[in-house]
Amino acid sequence: MSNADRHGLITKVVRDSGGATVQELAALTGASEMTIRRDLDTLAAQGVLERVRGGARTLLLRGEEPPFALRAHEAVDTKRRIAAGISALIADGESVLLDSGTTCLEVARLLRERPVTVMPLSLQAIHLLGETPGPATLMVPGGRPRAAEGALTGPLTLASLAAVRFDTAVIGCCGLSAADGLTAYDLDDAAVKKAAIASSRRVIVAADGSKLGHTAYAHVAPAALLQTLVTDTAAPADEVAALEDAGAVVRAV
């Protein structure tokens, strides 16, 4: 098992069960207890979990949005497949508005190698697109980053979106259903997503199957406004069919 796979499994176990001991994690992963202790120290430094004597426990409260550092370790292969599916839908020369979130960060990794113009809405994607010269043109919006998320919000972000028109907006979400549409955990984040949709000719939603049929706190847009959904093959078939009936083109990768 690779370090990344082991970290992802440890993260999931601690999150789902609320905590785990070093011995339990060693038995689960097949790694030595010394390796597990190093893994837990690394994940604790990233803010993914809390290190306690003999093991680790989750930092996540019930009903709370999982932090970016935790989500970054989850379903990495699925997110990369979704990102590749989205990149294939974007033509060279397009202007792209790229939402915050871990799946959209994977899209940024692919778009930095493309001759496109990209305005990212997270500090992580801005850093990724700006760290090495490439064919992509980076546009940086204003705004205030949400703590521990890096997602840009506030009046300056909304003003930046209102000033430009994009060919495509790639939007992440916390929940998506035919009945309740696109939803987010945070009201400020929802406002930015609404502005992004309003500033773009086409909307592509990036959402793994676990987001479908789920409704979060803040409403963003009805399903009818979302032209394309790129998800994975684990997406519930009934929800996929309902979204298609609402007018969305669904691509499962």
Side-chain angles (χ1 to χ4, degrees), residues 229-235 240 250-253:
L229 165 66
V230 181
T231 186
D232 64 278
T233 54
V240 168
V250 180
R251 296 174 178 264
V253 295

Side-chain angles (χ1 to χ4, degrees), residues 25-132:
L25 294 170
L28 181 66
T29 62
S32 69
E33 292 186 9
M34 183 177 295
T35 297
I36 294 299
R37 289 189 183 94
R38 286 197 296 265
D39 290 340
L40 295 180
D41 289 340
T42 297
L43 294 171
Q46 295 173 354
V48 172
L49 48 76
E50 181 182 4
R51 190 75 164 87
V52 297
R53 183 176 178 83
R57 65 186 177 195
T58 184
L59 292 170
L60 189 63
L61 301 175
R62 284 187 174 88
E64 185 180 26
E65 178 184 17
F68 185 94
L70 193 156
R71 302 196 314 273
H73 291 277
E74 298 180 334
V76 175
D77 289 342
T78 297
K79 291 171 185 176
R80 288 175 178 167
R81 290 199 307 273
I82 291 172
I86 290 171
S87 179
L89 297 174
I90 295 172
D92 289 350
E94 280 199 46
S95 58
V96 181
L97 182 58
L98 187 59
D99 199 7
S100 58
T102 55
T103 303
C104 288
L105 184 60
E106 295 300 331
V107 177
R109 295 186 199 282
L110 299 177
L111 293 185
R112 67 177 171 176
E113 306 299 332
R114 300 276 307 280
V116 293
T117 298
V118 186
M119 180 184 280
L121 296 175
S122 74
L123 295 183
Q124 295 90 343
I126 290 170
H127 175 74
L128 180 68
L129 286 159
E131 64 182 351
T132 55

